[in-house]
Amino acid sequence: MRLTSFTDYGLRMLMRMAGAPDRAHSTAEMADEFGLSRNHLSKIMQRLSAAGVVETRRGGGGGARLAKPASDIPLGALIKLLEEDQPLVECFSTGNACTLDGSCGLKARLRVAETAFLESLDRSTLADIALRQSQSI
């Protein structure tokens, strides 16, 4: 399984926030630190905020903070959230055009594998992968 850059960058942002939960983190600051597009990170932050994973505040002293303790945020749930628009294979999406759909034995096995992957990650939390100030990505 290959995760999208959207998920990769989202996890980096969350790892940084989990490592310093008492301070607000700006998208611009993280974009500079990671050498990534501020616009791209803003889109990721919007999804995380809409899902209640982070709380954001605009203006001076604003930024993003985790909405709950990192130890209460399972990794599988984060992957599922960040990858929600990216089905593992075409037949997992609505309106797929696969001519084998309905007679394919692979789809069910891939669904089981995907579920096992996410369940395995759910045994760890964001706290387990938090980046402390002395660590870098």
Side-chain angles (χ1 to χ4, degrees), residues 3-59:
L3 300 176
T4 61
S5 59
F6 190 90
T7 298
D8 179 18
Y9 302 158
L11 290 173
R12 291 181 201 194
M13 293 166 64
L14 291 166
M15 290 164 59
R16 176 55 70 216
M17 287 188 270
D22 297 331
R23 65 183 283 280
H25 299 266
S26 77
T27 304
E29 166 191 298
M30 287 190 279
D32 287 343
E33 178 182 348
F34 303 151
L36 300 171
S37 160
R38 181 178 177 192
N39 186 46
H40 193 59
L41 295 188
S42 292
K43 290 177 186 176
I44 298 167
M45 191 64 77
Q46 287 172 356
R47 180 172 297 175
L48 293 170
S49 178
V53 175
V54 299
E55 297 172 339
T56 59
R57 197 174 96 210
R58 294 181 182 265

Side-chain angles (χ1 to χ4, degrees), residues 10 35 56 61 63 71 76 80 83 91 93 101-102 108 121 133 137:
T56 59
S71 59
K80 190 173 182 180
E83 289 285 314
C91 60
S93 63
D101 203 25
L121 286 169
Q133 284 302 98
I137 294 180

Side-chain angles (χ1 to χ4, degrees), residues 15-134:
M15 290 164 59
R16 176 55 70 216
M17 287 188 270
D22 297 331
R23 65 183 283 280
H25 299 266
S26 77
T27 304
E29 166 191 298
M30 287 190 279
D32 287 343
E33 178 182 348
F34 303 151
L36 300 171
S37 160
R38 181 178 177 192
N39 186 46
H40 193 59
L41 295 188
S42 292
K43 290 177 186 176
I44 298 167
M45 191 64 77
Q46 287 172 356
R47 180 172 297 175
L48 293 170
S49 178
V53 175
V54 299
E55 297 172 339
T56 59
R57 197 174 96 210
R58 294 181 182 265
R65 296 176 192 262
L66 296 177
K68 56 186 169 183
S71 59
D72 293 342
I73 304 173
L75 293 181
L78 291 175
I79 301 289
K80 190 173 182 180
L81 169 68
L82 293 166
E83 289 285 314
E84 75 181 357
D85 297 332
Q86 302 296 320
L88 182 61
V89 289
E90 181 185 359
C91 60
F92 285 8
S93 63
T94 54
N96 81 82
C98 180
T99 58
L100 299 177
D101 203 25
S103 62
C104 176
L106 181 59
K107 182 177 182 177
R109 287 169 177 80
L110 288 175
R111 183 67 77 191
V112 168
E114 180 182 47
T115 300
F117 174 75
L118 294 171
E119 287 174 352
S120 175
L121 286 169
D122 275 339
R123 290 192 283 276
S124 298
T125 68
L126 183 56
D128 297 323
I129 62 167
L131 288 174
R132 307 297 176 218
Q133 284 302 98
S134 62

